[in-house]
Amino acid sequence: MSTLRLILGGSLVVWLAACSNVPYAQRVSERQAAYAAAAGTPQRSFRFFNLYSWEPLGGAQLAVYTRPNEAYLLDLDGGCPNLEYANSIGLTSSINEVSVRFDRVLTGPGYFPCTITQIRPIDVTQLKAQEKAQRKIEAKPRPPEHAAQG
């Protein structure tokens, strides 16, 4: 009975993924463009006390939030295996500072650490404004003949 449930559950997940309006690669590409537009000039390092949140942007980029309104776009050397599928990540640091070409992103046991090749601060306010503009819809009232059919 549990095998049947597993098969049905797996089928449901595949079916729901297939029903998505926007393909995964297109969504990742749009997110990469939004983060790149909000990213500032490259810097050598950033202070890191706690990892508040993170978002993989394909296998070679990662957005990390150290606070709700403080984020950095990290470029990774040669891609990072398991980054898009990892449940959690880690960052190496020296005295609470993450540095370019020295520190790495950890995606789990059995995977090689990914070297950080570039760090750019993200203007989180600008990023949120872009996201809000993308969510805006143009609402139009229904024509009278459709409203009565309900």
Side-chain angles (χ1 to χ4, degrees):
M1 187 68 172
S2 64
T3 305
L4 179 61
R5 285 184 182 175
L6 183 63
I7 291 171
L8 289 174
S11 299
L12 178 65
V13 168
V14 170
W15 181 75
L16 288 173
C19 291
S20 174
N21 288 338
V22 182
Y24 176 74
Q26 183 180 349
R27 285 193 311 263
V28 169
S29 177
E30 289 170 357
R31 293 298 292 162
Q32 285 174 334
Y35 274 102
T41 58
Q43 59 188 46
R44 300 276 314 141
S45 63
F46 67 92
R47 301 293 293 165
F48 170 70
F49 297 103
N50 192 14
L51 185 61
Y52 179 78
S53 178
W54 60 283
E55 180 179 352
L57 302 168
Q61 278 190 324
L62 172 68
V64 294
Y65 288 77
T66 55
R67 295 182 184 152
N69 291 318
E70 183 177 276
Y72 299 90
L73 182 61
L74 308 180
D75 291 342
L76 307 172
D77 188 22
C80 195
N82 195 43
L83 180 61
E84 295 177 275
Y85 309 105
N87 292 325
S88 62
I89 63 164
L91 293 176
T92 62
S93 63
S94 298
I95 313 171
N96 296 326
E97 188 170 9
V98 177
S99 301
V100 171
R101 300 239 176 250
F102 183 74
D103 288 306
R104 293 168 171 60
V105 175
L106 310 170
T107 59
Y111 293 98
F112 289 106
C114 312
T115 304
I116 299 169
T117 58
Q118 187 177 58
I119 298 171
R120 292 182 285 169
I122 297 171
D123 183 347
V124 178
T125 306
Q126 178 184 343
L127 181 66
K128 287 181 181 180
Q130 285 178 332
E131 291 171 351
K132 186 176 181 180
Q134 288 177 345
R135 285 193 302 266
K136 187 176 182 180
I137 60 169
E138 184 179 325
K140 295 181 182 178
R142 283 187 168 180
E145 65 271 4
H146 291 333
Q149 293 176 356

